[in-house]
Amino acid sequence: MLPPARPAPPVPATGTRRGGALTPGASLSSARVAWRHSLRFRLAATYSLLALALIMLISLGVVSLLLSRMDQQFNARLNDRAETLAEAFTNPGAGLGKTAGGVGAYTMLIDGDGKVYATSTALNDYKDAPFPFQKPGNVMIQNTPVRAVERKVGLVGTLWVGLPETELIAARQSAVSALLAALICTPLILLLVGWWVGRRALSGLQGAANLADQIDPTRSLATLPLPAREDEVHRLLSAINRLLVRIEAGQAREKQLLGQIVHELGAPLTVLKASLRRAEERTDDPEVRRAALVADELTFTTQDLMQLARGQLELKLAWHYIPARTLQERLERLVPGTTFAGDWTGGILCDPDRLTQAIRNLLANARRAAGPNGSVTLTLKETADRLTFTVRDSGPGLPPELGERIFEPFVSGAGSSGLGLSVSRQIAAMHGGGLSGGTHPQGGAEFVLTIPGAALGDED
């Protein structure tokens, strides 16, 4: 009596279950897009930069106009005071009722020899001294910036009038400071507002992306919900839904065609197997025996294709305890030229047909990669709780751009159908083990298939 098979440990999955089906992409739905790659951030940053440039141009124009007007008003006040004083000295009666000086005004009278003979109170230090300034304009008086003009007053001489620019300079500095503060604070405010607006505007697109990650391609492709507003997001999701409908229709046609092909191959293979079995019993020819084993492998492949056409690639195991030598002999007949290494004296608890199919796929791929003159080695290593089958070839190794995709159905780096490695990994997983592959540091591809050991006691 055969020993009972130990239950295989659960195979880790990266997805979630929805309606009983594994959704491999569901784990991506919770992934957050890096802020620097986010569409919301790019839109907010673009909006902020454009708004900042526009605000900067407008602000510079407004501040320049404001400063220009302030300068014009200052010059008008200065000229008005100078005209009033000049008229008062020239025609004393015409200046009645007009304010000649004002708080903070500076005045000096200069004779024809360039000597100051009369000043306002603040400029008494310059009285009876040569005129200290070469020409009117901006001068410094007692550490105060002053803007001055001159007027001829007939026989009196020259009238020099100045106004301090302290308030004008303070107003300029206040305007420039306000402009700089606006240019610093505005981008931050615009960026936050743009981020919030972008988040609100693109919320439908983000929800659709999360739902798209949860679509199980092995089942019916559900369409994405459309937002109520018929905007660009609505148009994009509508186009994606139409694409999903076309994909689902194409998958249905492919499955139907695959099922028809498998059905057409099944009947001839059944007849071929029966004929080869009878010929093997009559002749005991090793070539006929090998052909019969190849026909068995083709039958397994057609069964896998039929299950794939039905939308699932699920295999069933028939557990047996066999000597490792039996497995070695079957593999020697299926893939001639294989070098066997390691310890093949123990026993293996497995489905012999399925395990043979898994290792045979690895050896066939290795032989195809190594070529007729290359080497293919299968090494069996047994530990207390695990059996490890290592297949290594002398070929060029695995394409680095494929990575783990090499185990996906219909993905191949050697021109084959791409089903072999996918089936082999599933068989290893159903036995409670796994299959990994890569390029060996010394060259060539290396695949490692592991299954649990039998761990039989004396009673078993």
Side-chain angles (χ1 to χ4, degrees):
M1 182 177 65
L2 294 175
R6 295 184 300 167
V11 182
T14 59
T16 60
R17 291 194 175 272
R18 179 170 60 88
L22 183 65
T23 56
S27 61
L28 298 178
S29 63
S30 59
R32 293 291 183 182
V33 179
W35 64 268
R36 61 184 180 277
H37 301 309
S38 172
L39 178 60
R40 292 195 301 269
F41 176 77
R42 295 202 303 272
L43 289 177
T46 303
Y47 160 76
S48 301
L49 291 176
L50 292 177
L52 177 63
L54 184 61
I55 292 174
M56 183 182 296
L57 291 177
I58 295 175
S59 300
L60 287 176
V62 171
V63 171
S64 299
L65 180 61
L66 176 62
L67 294 178
S68 176
R69 291 295 178 86
M70 293 172 58
D71 194 79
Q72 291 176 3
Q73 291 179 0
F74 186 88
N75 286 332
R77 188 175 58 170
L78 176 61
N79 289 321
D80 182 66
R81 292 187 178 184
E83 294 293 339
T84 301
L85 286 173
E87 189 175 2
F89 281 105
T90 304
N91 186 8
L96 294 177
K98 297 184 179 180
T99 303
V103 180
Y106 299 97
T107 57
M108 287 189 291
L109 287 175
I110 309 164
D111 59 18
D113 297 330
K115 183 178 180 182
V116 179
Y117 66 89
T119 66
S120 59
T121 304
L123 299 180
N124 285 332
D125 293 340
Y126 296 97
K127 190 175 180 180
D128 298 329
F131 181 66
F133 310 115
Q134 297 297 327
K135 58 182 178 178
N138 296 323
V139 297
M140 293 293 295
I141 298 177
Q142 299 172 356
N143 296 326
T144 301
V146 176
R147 185 180 302 183
V149 294
E150 293 181 353
R151 293 290 187 272
K152 293 294 184 179
V153 289
L155 298 177
V156 176
T158 303
L159 175 66
W160 183 91
V161 179
L163 284 179
E165 293 185 300
T166 306
E167 295 181 357
L168 179 62
I169 293 175
R172 288 176 178 174
Q173 293 176 348
S174 298
V176 173
S177 299
L179 177 62
L180 293 177
L183 294 180
I184 293 175
C185 298
T186 300
L188 299 177
I189 297 175
L190 291 177
L191 186 60
L192 294 176
V193 173
W195 177 270
W196 180 79
V197 172
R199 183 173 184 178
R200 290 288 298 271
L202 299 178
S203 59
L205 188 59
Q206 182 178 4
N210 293 337
L211 289 176
D213 282 335
Q214 297 176 5
I215 291 179
D216 184 1
T218 63
R219 292 182 174 269
S220 178
L221 295 179
T223 56
L224 302 174
L226 300 177
R229 185 186 307 169
E230 295 186 3
D231 53 7
E232 288 80 1
V233 175
H234 184 285
R235 183 178 177 184
L236 173 62
L237 297 182
S238 298
I240 293 176
N241 284 341
R242 291 192 294 271
L243 177 61
L244 290 175
V245 171
R246 293 196 296 269
I247 291 175
E248 186 173 7
Q251 288 180 345
R253 289 193 297 269
E254 291 174 357
K255 291 179 181 179
Q256 183 180 7
L257 177 61
L258 185 58
Q260 292 175 352
I261 294 175
V262 173
H263 179 73
E264 294 298 327
L265 290 175
L269 275 177
T270 302
V271 175
L272 178 62
K273 284 177 59 178
S275 301
L276 289 174
R277 292 299 180 193
R278 288 195 296 270
E280 182 182 1
E281 293 173 357
R282 290 196 306 268
T283 63
D284 197 24
D285 188 343
E287 293 296 328
V288 175
R289 188 180 306 111
R290 180 187 172 196
L293 289 172
V294 172
D296 289 337
E297 293 299 317
L298 288 176
T299 302
F300 281 129
T301 303
T302 56
Q303 291 173 355
D304 295 338
L305 289 174
M306 178 60 74
Q307 291 171 343
L308 183 64
R310 293 170 181 167
Q312 55 183 0
L313 190 57
E314 298 178 356
L315 310 178
K316 295 182 179 180
L317 301 183
W319 293 89
H320 295 276
Y321 184 73
I322 63 171
R325 290 293 185 190
T326 302
L327 178 64
Q328 179 185 358
E329 292 171 359
R330 296 184 67 176
L331 294 172
E332 281 179 334
R333 291 192 294 268
L334 289 171
V335 189
T338 301
T339 301
F340 293 87
D343 184 10
W344 293 84
T345 60
I348 305 174
L349 179 61
C350 64
D351 182 327
D353 293 331
R354 289 303 183 188
L355 186 58
T356 300
Q357 179 186 5
I359 300 178
R360 179 259 174 195
N361 289 340
L362 300 179
L363 293 176
N365 289 341
R367 173 52 60 197
R368 189 182 300 109
N373 299 323
S375 62
V376 177
T377 304
L378 172 60
T379 304
L380 172 59
K381 181 180 179 181
E382 181 177 4
T383 60
D385 58 351
R386 190 160 295 274
L387 293 175
T388 302
F389 298 88
T390 304
V391 177
R392 184 183 170 193
D393 61 62
S394 58
L398 298 180
E401 66 275 7
L402 292 181
E404 281 293 304
R405 293 182 58 245
I406 197 73
F407 295 103
E408 297 178 7
F410 306 114
V411 176
S412 173
S416 60
S417 66
L419 270 179
L421 291 179
S422 175
V423 173
S424 296
R425 172 172 272 193
Q426 187 168 1
I427 291 173
M430 294 183 67
H431 279 81
L435 174 62
S436 61
T439 300
H440 195 274
Q442 298 179 1
E446 182 180 65
F447 288 89
V448 179
L449 188 150
T450 60
I451 62 173
L456 299 177
D458 295 338
E459 182 178 353
D460 297 327

